[in-house]
């Protein structure tokens, strides 16, 4: 395996980069090699003496260069199997390796050449033939997709193979020095030629379009909405916020320039070429005008009609007073990735640290976009990059920052991003367009989290079934509408299973914990009417005979009929409970947490105040980061000393205290009404500046909840003795009435 050095400081001397990461901000080469070993890219190799199974005894490279119908049929069969395993899209890596092997006549397993000719010695005509073969295989009726060359290391303009169809060409970040960082360290100066080709299967209808959800967070005035305006509208900013006007949902947002709600925007990629399909471009083609006024629904429908892949952006608020809205958007939106926006002139400050800690707590992979590089002095940009490197590589984050400056690094970062350790760092300008192409290409080849989880489950348990039809429906409600002529409509993410128009489902729990039956009378995805939806998709459901007052955020839509059974069998409603147990870590609290403490709990779409019933310490040691400071978890079983009279009283009564950095198993009880939760779900609890994270380990049944509350009542009455009565007066004593 070749060694590649990834650095965040693009001004590191070439000699230090060639030395394998000797610079101050260079990533450890051994760690990066380990990530390379676990990468999910595909290296096509062949044995010159091996029969490849096509019946003619031809090698794979011969099929690439001397294409026949039988060769294309065989390549399409192999490619279809790969696409089935990877969710409909993949990046083929063709070539690579040490050229010295190809010069050894005794080596019968030459993976780099055709008939003894190394891939590095192939001319552009031969490489074009290889690309043509893959394109023909991708367009085979069994696949019905497209193939696109991303990187060819043998071309003089390999760094410029970005998406040139969008009208702008981003300059390579770091100049010639960045080429040194990706130079392969081998014993020979001559490197094997390597190509990366994107292959994607075209969907049938809107329901089959792949979707990647990206939450956009960062400090106020970092350029989040402006960045999304440039990506989705296809127009550069004028430096005064022109690109963000079409994204605001409320009048006060347009007046202040600050987002206060959860906004949704989409970006598509064409099903023929893979080029970006933007709502702004579609609008200009339809109306012939460059105006930024929104036509509800029409633009999204046109994008879905042309796209084979969609990226859904969740535009979240950056101001501190809207932190509650941002936390809810992160928890309920179920993002696959987080795009952390950092202003080059401001650095990682303010709410950006809070949002980074939130993403780490939820276990969502993070990419960093440094904006405003056109207006930032070089020394200030250098300071920002050093600060960003220090925070990302700290023990609280444990990320591997990779500076993305060209298309080759884009492919490398996207392949390693699935490990959740690599953190790509982009440098962009919304005014000049620098770096925008690299970000678009990265989003184009990024795999949805649903595909990554399915691949992981397949590798861990080959017998596991991933068929959506065999899994019961589970849908969470995060937004509610009253639509004329449609009735009550709910919006959310399909967590599991499949839903179809006409399905009979359960809706609940209500304030009493009861589920009511209803029927799905309509489904919309990205404002386009569809007949069904599968797990991982965000859709809107129209419910029959359900009023707006009967629905609230956090409710669950579950299946009533098991369609996988023959004949179909009824399914009981899910169980709702007010009490649950979770293993939590206190990230920050100014004093101590004791039983009866109340905080706001965020778990998916559920957002409700809960009180602490019991605390059981967990003896373990770990580290977490809050506000950029690493916090060590104590491993002691209990605190030996109390800091105040209240703490002394709590310890005397047998209560366990929790402070910043403590880990414990905590039993929570919702204050208002029951909720429907799942074991293993991540949660966040907050109250003022207090923050903690955890994972649900147990859901209490109604009988267990009743028994626990009785024990709590008995314990409280035993701890509080009855007040003493006055002694009876002696006989003959006088009373004053």
């Amino acid at each position: 395996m070749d060694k590649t050095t990834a650095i965040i400081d693009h001004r590191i001397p070439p000699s230090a980069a060639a030395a394998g990461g000797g610079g101050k901000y260079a990533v450890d080469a051994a760690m990066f090699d380990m990530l390379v070993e676990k990468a999910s890219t595909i290296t096509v190799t062949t044995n010159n003496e091996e029969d490849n199974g096509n019946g003619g005894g031809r090698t794979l490279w011969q099929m690439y260069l001397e294409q026949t119908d039988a060769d294309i049929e065989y390549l399409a069969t192999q490619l279809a199997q790969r696409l089935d395993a990877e969710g409909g899209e993949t990046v083929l890596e063709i070539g690579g390796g040490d050229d010295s092997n190809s010069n050894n006549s005794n080596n019968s397993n030459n993976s780099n050449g055709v008939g003894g000719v190394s891939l590095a010695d192939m001319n552009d005509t031969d490489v074009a033939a290889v690309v043509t073969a893959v394109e023909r295989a991708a367009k085979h009726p069994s696949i019905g997709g497209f193939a696109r060359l991303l990187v060819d290391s043998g071309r003089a303009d390999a760094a410029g193979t970005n998406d040139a169809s969008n009208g702008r060409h981003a300059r390579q970040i770091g100049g010639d020095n960045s080429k040194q960082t990706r130079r392969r360290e081998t014993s020979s100066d001559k490197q094997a030629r390597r190509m990366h080709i994107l292959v994607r299967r075209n969907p049938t209808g809107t329901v089959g379009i792949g979707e990647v959800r990206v939450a956009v967070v960062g400090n106020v005035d970092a350029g989040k909405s402006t960045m999304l305006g440039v990506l989705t509208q296809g127009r550069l900013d004028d430096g005064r916020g022109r690109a963000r006007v079409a994204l605001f949902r409320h009048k006060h947002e347009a007046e202040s320039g600050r987002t206060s709600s959860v906004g949704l925007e989409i970006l598509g990629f064409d099903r023929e070429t893979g080029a970006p399909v933007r709502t702004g471009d579609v609008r200009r083609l339809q109306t012939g005008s460059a105006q930024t006024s929104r036509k509800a629904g029409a633009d999204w429908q046109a994008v879905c009609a042309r796209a084979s892949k969609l990226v859904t952006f969740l535009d979240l608020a950056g101001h501190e007073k809207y932190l509650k809205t941002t936390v809810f958007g992160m928890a309920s939106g179920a993002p696959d990735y987080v795009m952390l926006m950092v202003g080059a002139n401001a650095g990682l400050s303010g709410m950006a640290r809070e949002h980074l800690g939130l993403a780490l707590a939820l276990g969502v992979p993070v990419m960093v976009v440094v904006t405003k590089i056109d207006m930032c002095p070089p020394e200030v940009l250098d300071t920002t990059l050093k600060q960003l490197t220090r925070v990302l590589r700290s023990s609280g984050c444990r990320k591997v920052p990779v500076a993305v400056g060209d298309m080759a690094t884009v492919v490398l970062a996207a392949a390693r991003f699935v490990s959740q350790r690599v953190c790509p760092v982009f440098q962009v300008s919304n005014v000049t367009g620098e770096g925008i192409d690299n970000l678009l290409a990265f989003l184009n080849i990024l795999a949805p989290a649903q595909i990554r989880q399915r691949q992981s489950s397949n590798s861990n348990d080959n017998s596991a079934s991933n068929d959506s039809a065999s899994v019961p429906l589970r849908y969470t409600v995060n937004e509610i509408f009253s639509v004329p002529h449609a009735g009550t409509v709910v919006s959310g993410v399909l967590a599991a299973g499949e839903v179809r128009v006409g399905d009979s489902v359960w809706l609940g729990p209500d304030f009493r914990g009861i589920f009511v039956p209803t029927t799905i009378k309509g489904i919309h995805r990205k404002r386009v009417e569809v007949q069904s939806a599968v797990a991982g998709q965000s859709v809107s459901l129209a419910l029959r005979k359900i009023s707006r007052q009967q629905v609230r955020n956090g409710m669950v839509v579950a299946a009533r009929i098991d369609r996988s059974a023959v004949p179909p069998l009824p399914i009981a409603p899910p169980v709702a409970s007010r009490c649950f147990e979770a293993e939590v870590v206190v990230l920050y609290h100014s004093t101590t947490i004791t039983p009866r403490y109340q905080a706001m709990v965020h778990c998916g779409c559920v957002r409700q105040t809960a009180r602490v019933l019991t605390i059981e310490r967990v003896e373990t040691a770990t580290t977490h980061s809050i506000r950029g400071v690493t916090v060590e978890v104590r491993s002691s079983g209990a605190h030996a000393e109390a800091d105040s009279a209240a703490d002394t009283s709590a310890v005397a009564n047998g209560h366990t205290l929790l402070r910043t950095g403590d880990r414990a198993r905590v039993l929570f009880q919702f204050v208002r009404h029951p909720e429907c939760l799942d074991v293993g779900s991540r949660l966040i609890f907050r109250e003022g500046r207090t923050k903690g994270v955890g994972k649900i380990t147990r859901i209490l049944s109604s009988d267990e909840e009743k028994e626990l509350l009785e024990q709590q009542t008995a314990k409280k009455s035993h701890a509080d003795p009855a007040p003493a009565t006055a002694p009876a007066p002696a006989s003959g004593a006088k009373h004053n009435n």
Side-chain angles (χ1 to χ4, degrees):
M1 177 63 63
D2 58 291
K3 296 183 178 180
T4 304
T5 304
I7 61 172
I8 185 64
D9 188 0
H10 62 280
R11 292 176 176 82
I12 187 171
S15 58
K24 182 177 180 181
Y25 300 102
V27 173
D28 182 41
M31 179 186 300
F32 199 77
D33 286 343
M34 178 186 66
L35 297 174
V36 171
E37 293 289 349
K38 297 181 179 180
S40 60
T41 56
I42 308 152
T43 301
V44 180
T45 61
T46 181
N47 188 333
N48 286 339
E49 304 298 331
E50 180 183 1
D51 187 350
N52 54 38
N54 64 343
R58 293 159 57 83
T59 64
L60 185 59
W61 287 113
Q62 288 174 338
M63 289 192 293
Y64 278 142
L65 300 183
E66 305 169 4
Q67 305 164 19
T68 65
D69 293 341
D71 296 338
I72 299 302
E73 188 76 26
Y74 174 78
L75 293 176
T77 302
Q78 300 299 316
L79 192 57
Q81 295 177 359
R82 176 64 63 181
L83 292 174
D84 291 339
E86 300 196 9
E89 71 175 68
T90 184
V91 176
L92 296 177
E93 180 182 347
I94 302 179
D98 194 346
D99 289 342
S100 60
N101 294 338
S102 63
N103 298 327
N104 185 1
S105 59
N106 297 326
N107 184 11
S108 61
N109 188 13
N110 176 16
S111 63
N112 301 322
V114 181
V117 179
S118 172
L119 182 61
D121 297 328
M122 297 177 64
N123 54 37
D124 292 342
T125 304
D126 295 334
V127 173
V130 174
V131 176
T132 301
V134 177
E135 290 176 347
R136 290 182 59 189
K139 294 180 181 179
H140 192 272
S142 62
I143 298 177
F146 74 93
R148 176 188 176 191
L149 177 64
L150 297 175
V151 178
D152 177 10
S153 61
R155 292 179 55 184
D157 60 343
T161 54
N162 282 349
D163 181 18
S165 61
N166 57 15
R168 294 185 303 272
H169 179 71
R171 296 193 300 270
Q172 181 177 338
I173 298 178
D176 295 336
N177 290 342
S178 63
K179 297 180 180 179
Q180 297 288 339
T181 64
R182 67 180 190 276
R183 183 176 181 270
R184 303 185 60 201
E185 302 295 334
T186 62
S187 58
S188 173
D189 291 335
K190 185 178 181 181
Q191 306 300 320
R193 196 163 186 172
R194 187 187 301 268
M195 294 179 293
H196 292 83
I197 303 176
L198 171 65
V199 182
R200 179 177 298 148
R201 176 182 285 137
N202 287 330
T204 56
T206 305
V207 67
I209 300 178
E211 180 183 3
V212 175
R213 288 188 298 275
V214 179
V216 183
V217 297
N219 194 34
V220 63
D221 299 330
K224 299 181 294 297
S225 298
T226 303
M227 179 84 259
L228 293 187
V230 173
L231 291 177
T232 61
Q233 304 300 318
R235 298 179 60 187
L236 293 177
D237 190 52
D238 60 353
R240 295 184 294 272
R242 180 184 65 176
R244 67 188 181 188
V245 174
L247 275 65
F248 291 135
R249 302 178 61 184
H250 305 289
K251 181 180 179 181
H252 69 271
E253 292 181 340
E255 294 174 350
S256 64
R258 294 178 177 177
T259 303
S260 62
S261 59
V262 180
L264 292 177
E265 295 295 328
I266 65 171
L267 171 67
F269 293 95
D270 191 83
R271 60 180 61 199
E272 297 295 335
T273 63
V277 181
R278 306 177 179 90
T279 54
D281 296 337
V282 170
R283 186 184 305 114
R284 282 188 288 271
L285 289 175
Q286 292 177 345
T287 63
S289 173
Q291 61 182 357
T292 58
S293 61
R294 180 185 297 274
K295 294 176 61 178
D299 302 335
W300 286 34
Q301 295 176 8
V303 170
C304 293
R306 295 174 50 188
S308 61
K309 181 178 182 177
L310 291 174
V311 178
T312 301
F313 295 104
L314 283 74
D315 188 12
L316 302 179
H319 200 279
E320 184 176 3
K321 67 179 181 180
Y322 303 124
L323 179 60
K324 180 177 68 173
T325 302
T326 301
V327 174
F328 176 74
M330 281 279 291
S332 63
D336 300 330
Y337 306 98
V338 168
M339 183 188 297
L340 179 64
M341 311 294 293
V342 178
N345 57 343
L348 193 65
S349 60
M351 297 306 297
R353 293 177 179 266
E354 296 281 353
H355 296 165
L356 177 60
L358 179 61
L360 295 175
L362 295 176
V364 185
V366 180
M367 69 184 84
V368 179
V369 178
V370 181
T371 61
K372 305 181 181 180
I373 62 174
D374 59 296
M375 59 174 292
C376 183
E379 59 275 9
V380 177
L381 176 61
D382 209 24
T383 302
T384 299
L385 294 177
K386 291 178 181 179
Q387 178 200 28
L388 192 59
T389 303
R390 183 174 63 254
V391 173
L392 291 176
R393 296 183 64 189
S394 65
S395 58
C397 294
R398 292 179 292 179
K399 296 288 185 180
V400 181
V402 178
V404 180
D406 54 25
M407 193 62 190
T409 319
V410 167
V411 177
L412 177 71
R416 278 56 167 175
F417 196 35
V418 297
S419 66
Q420 297 189 13
R421 291 292 306 279
V422 169
C423 180
V425 179
F426 300 85
Q427 300 179 44
V428 303
S429 170
N430 295 321
V431 176
T432 65
E434 182 175 356
I436 300 296
D437 292 340
N438 293 328
L439 183 58
L440 285 171
F442 184 79
L443 295 172
N444 188 15
I445 62 180
L446 207 55
Q450 195 80 8
I451 302 301
R452 294 191 289 106
Q453 295 172 0
R454 189 173 69 177
Q455 293 173 359
S456 176
S457 63
N458 286 340
S459 60
N460 297 331
D461 184 9
N462 294 328
S463 63
S465 174
N466 295 312
D467 186 10
S468 299
S470 62
V471 180
L473 167 66
R474 186 61 175 260
Y475 175 91
T476 53
V477 177
N478 63 9
E479 203 165 0
I480 311 163
F481 309 93
S482 292
V483 181
H485 310 294
T488 302
V489 176
V490 296
S491 175
V493 179
L494 198 60
E498 180 182 4
V499 63
R500 303 173 186 173
V501 175
D503 283 354
S504 180
V505 296
W506 294 107
L507 175 66
D510 59 10
F511 291 99
R512 298 172 298 171
I514 299 176
F515 286 77
V516 297
T518 184
T519 304
I520 306 297
K521 65 177 183 179
I523 304 176
H524 275 68
R525 186 187 181 202
K526 306 305 176 188
R527 302 175 183 173
V528 179
E529 185 176 0
V530 295
Q531 296 300 312
S532 63
V534 296
Q537 298 179 351
S538 55
V539 295
S540 299
L541 307 178
L543 305 178
R544 189 184 303 275
K545 295 182 180 180
I546 296 293
S547 64
R548 173 64 177 83
Q549 291 73 22
Q550 292 180 262
V551 190
R552 59 175 176 82
N553 289 342
M555 277 189 166
V556 171
V557 176
R560 288 186 63 195
I561 304 296
D562 184 5
R563 290 196 299 262
S564 61
V566 181
L569 300 176
I571 300 178
V575 177
S577 177
R578 291 183 60 189
C579 297
F580 63 94
E581 185 184 68
E583 186 172 323
V584 303
V585 175
V586 181
L587 299 181
Y588 176 79
H589 187 63
S590 57
T591 57
T592 59
I593 295 178
T594 60
R596 302 184 191 180
Y597 172 80
Q598 294 187 6
M600 179 66 68
V601 173
H602 296 264
C603 183
C605 297
V606 173
R607 180 175 61 180
Q608 188 183 162
T609 302
R611 67 170 59 94
V612 175
L613 296 181
T614 62
I615 301 175
E616 180 183 353
R617 296 295 300 272
V618 176
E619 296 185 4
T620 184
T622 185
T623 57
H624 289 267
S625 178
I626 181 68
R627 294 183 178 272
V629 179
T630 302
V631 178
E632 183 180 0
V633 177
R634 302 187 184 96
S635 58
S636 58
H639 295 289
E641 299 180 357
D643 297 336
S644 63
D647 293 353
T648 304
S649 176
V651 173
N653 292 332
H655 294 163
T656 303
L657 305 178
L658 291 181
R659 295 190 179 95
T660 300
D662 287 345
R663 178 186 293 269
R665 279 189 292 269
V666 179
L667 195 61
F668 290 94
Q669 181 189 32
F670 286 119
V671 173
R672 297 188 60 192
H673 48 75
E675 299 285 2
C676 190
L677 304 176
D678 293 326
V679 174
S681 301
R682 294 179 180 266
L683 63 86
I684 300 172
F685 63 91
R686 47 178 292 275
E687 185 264 329
R689 296 186 61 188
T690 300
K691 295 178 181 63
V693 298
K695 181 179 292 187
I696 297 178
T697 57
R698 184 165 65 100
I699 306 294
L700 273 66
S701 63
S702 57
D703 295 338
E704 292 175 327
E705 179 183 347
K706 183 178 180 180
E707 180 180 356
L708 175 65
L709 295 179
E710 291 177 352
Q711 293 176 358
Q712 293 286 327
T713 303
K715 185 177 180 180
K716 181 179 179 181
S717 61
H718 179 73
D720 299 333
T725 58
S731 58
K734 295 182 179 179
H735 296 274
N736 296 324
N737 294 330

